[in-house]
Amino acid sequence: TCVGCAGIEPEKRMYPLALGIDVSGDDFVISYGMPDLPEATGQGKEEEDGNQTLQVRGKSFEEIKSRYERSQEKYLDIGHLQILVIGRRLTETDKWKEFMRYLKEESLAGENIYVFQAENPEELLKWSDGGTSFGEYVTGLIENRMEKDKKKGVTLRQVYYQWYQRGVLQKLPEITMHDDEIQVWLE
């Protein structure tokens, strides 16, 4: 049996590969970046409209979850997240800790997710090259290198460790977009 699946069929789930989080005023703003599912699964269904970004905002994560559930027909399954992009506005406040507490409680969120910082996470998650989603593309930038050329990304596990040990947000690699080109600045 599948623990955490709650008996919901795969076609009735939404599987974001990337998540962007920032603040706007008093609200948290979460952006979910979905892959081009027909491309990714080989199904080739015409009715699917490719890469999508869904944005949900609220004063708390409970409010965001409630808004999502009231407005979306598919179950949100974050068990496939590959990329987390934290907005600079969020990192400049202590609200990032609230987000980390929320994420830690999400049983489906794995700790091998790559974590980045960006000026505008929402805009980055909308990027697509026509066949590859933002999450797939950035993961490829990190992992698809020859061993000698590989640079290490920061994972959620490392972020949690720094937070628990020292109470600080680890220095995160920067991700930017310039002329519709994604650039990752790893150490």
Side-chain angles (χ1 to χ4, degrees), residues 38-127:
E39 183 89 18
T41 62
Q43 295 175 15
K45 292 182 183 173
E46 293 296 323
E47 68 268 20
E48 300 286 342
D49 36 342
N51 295 320
Q52 300 176 353
T53 305
L54 173 68
Q55 189 177 90
V56 186
R57 47 190 318 142
K59 302 220 178 305
S60 69
F61 295 104
E62 294 77 28
E63 182 180 336
I64 288 171
K65 184 176 183 177
S66 175
R67 282 187 175 171
Y68 176 86
E69 290 174 353
R70 285 194 314 260
S71 66
Q72 301 297 312
E73 78 278 9
K74 293 189 176 182
Y75 174 79
L76 181 63
D77 184 336
I78 63 170
H80 297 271
L81 276 180
Q82 297 173 334
I83 304 295
L84 172 59
V85 183
I86 301 176
R88 191 172 323 283
R89 288 184 304 269
L90 180 62
T91 65
E92 291 171 349
T93 72
D94 267 354
K95 285 186 154 202
W96 67 267
K97 294 176 185 176
E98 200 173 326
F99 173 66
M100 288 296 144
R101 281 190 285 276
Y102 155 75
L103 204 55
K104 192 70 175 159
E105 295 300 313
E106 284 292 321
S107 61
L108 294 177
E111 293 185 356
N112 290 328
I113 300 167
Y114 292 111
V115 185
F116 295 92
Q117 181 173 329
E119 197 63 47
N120 192 339
E122 305 90 43
E123 286 303 310
L124 287 169
L125 267 64
K126 291 178 186 174
W127 178 91

